[in-house]
Amino acid sequence: MNIAIVDDNKTEQDKLGSCVLRWARSSGAGVQITAYDSGEAFLSAEQNGNFDIVFMDIIMDGMNGIETARILRSVSIDTLLIFITTSPEFMAQAFPCHAFDYVMKPYTPERITEVLDEAKRALGKLSEVIEIVGCRLLLSDILYIYSASNYCEIHTKQTLQRLRISFTELSERLSPYPTFTVVGRGVIVNFDNVSHISDPDCVMVNGDRVLVSRRRIKETEQAFYDRQFKKMLSKG
């Protein structure tokens, strides 16, 4: 598991690194930690999703954590991004960066253990596969789905799959996974791959826009932001 720590304070780097190593020893996880003292230094090293997890301080000299994260997302969609900060005021700006979690300073080693346990589970889910009429798809790769008569068009991060399956049947197949949400007639989005909602669209992490039906826009916004706040705040 490759982990980056981006913080312009060496003391904070060392503190967080110690918490990560403590978790690794107790969980038996193999980790490699690389620390960067600026967003610029991190971005010059990060290419094509080298890191599984990035701990990103928000308030830094030079390029701040939000700016750095926005550029990171143009390179890597799947990297788990965990913001570290002293203030909750940046949460709204963090939403489009598709953050996995938001850790407030001062934090305890137990808080870092909790977020790393969740991150480890999430990384495992990235390899979870669903088979649909003979086509094997990574659940984490699915962006959104459109109904097309007796077919469904499944848009993934890499391809478009047009499969002969009814929308009703595919919806039932995806019902055990709460991240998949119907946002309109014959339209499903994967909330885990939604960057933000800009009425009336779900804006996906790759920049695609998926129209939300007018009668569903409020409930879709609420469900999306409830999911984001739960991920960021449930463990405070």
Side-chain angles (χ1 to χ4, degrees), residues 30-231:
V31 300
Q32 178 176 331
I33 304 170
T34 309
Y36 299 93
D37 59 9
S38 70
E40 293 88 345
F42 166 71
L43 291 172
S44 68
E46 167 69 351
Q47 294 181 356
N48 301 319
N50 294 331
F51 294 102
D52 300 303
I53 300 170
V54 175
F55 286 95
M56 182 80 67
D57 189 32
I58 289 182
I59 303 173
M60 296 187 290
D61 291 335
M63 183 180 293
N64 67 35
I66 298 291
E67 295 167 335
T68 305
R70 286 172 180 160
I71 297 174
L72 168 65
R73 280 294 174 243
S74 69
V75 176
S76 173
I77 293 175
D78 291 329
T79 300
L80 299 186
L81 176 63
I82 301 166
F83 282 117
I84 308 286
T85 189
T86 56
S87 171
E89 67 180 288
F90 299 100
M91 283 189 178
Q93 297 176 52
F95 282 140
C97 299
H98 201 51
F100 178 73
D101 211 331
Y102 196 105
V103 176
M104 298 293 297
K105 295 180 181 178
Y107 53 80
T108 63
E110 290 74 22
R111 173 67 175 114
I112 300 303
T113 291
E114 290 173 351
V115 74
L116 285 170
D117 282 342
E118 291 181 357
K120 185 179 179 182
R121 286 193 292 271
L123 288 170
K125 289 180 181 178
L126 289 176
S127 60
E128 192 169 352
V129 173
I130 187 171
E131 185 168 329
I132 303 169
V133 291
C135 182
R136 290 170 60 83
L137 296 169
L138 284 173
L139 287 169
S140 61
D141 274 353
I142 298 173
L143 296 169
Y144 52 93
I145 298 165
Y146 286 138
S147 172
S149 187
N150 293 324
Y151 291 80
C152 283
E153 295 181 349
I154 303 176
H155 296 252
T156 76
K157 295 171 184 175
Q158 295 83 25
T159 63
L160 167 62
Q161 298 285 344
R162 194 169 189 267
L163 304 179
R164 189 174 180 83
I165 184 173
S166 72
F167 184 79
T168 298
E169 184 180 350
L170 183 53
S171 298
E172 290 174 354
R173 291 288 308 281
L174 293 172
S175 61
Y177 309 99
T179 183
F180 290 95
T181 303
V182 176
V183 299
R185 185 177 178 82
V187 184
I188 295 173
V189 298
N190 181 356
F191 270 170
D192 280 351
N193 286 325
V194 172
S195 168
H196 61 286
I197 296 178
S198 177
D199 189 356
D201 298 326
C202 282
V203 182
M204 310 307 295
V205 290
N206 68 343
D208 288 357
R209 302 180 77 94
V210 178
L211 181 66
V212 181
S213 73
R214 180 56 56 189
R215 69 185 183 86
R216 289 180 181 264
I217 186 64
K218 293 301 181 184
E219 66 183 81
T220 299
E221 287 179 334
Q222 189 63 53
F224 174 69
Y225 289 118
D226 283 351
R227 182 173 179 81
Q228 295 300 308
F229 275 113
K230 182 178 180 181
K231 287 164 65 176

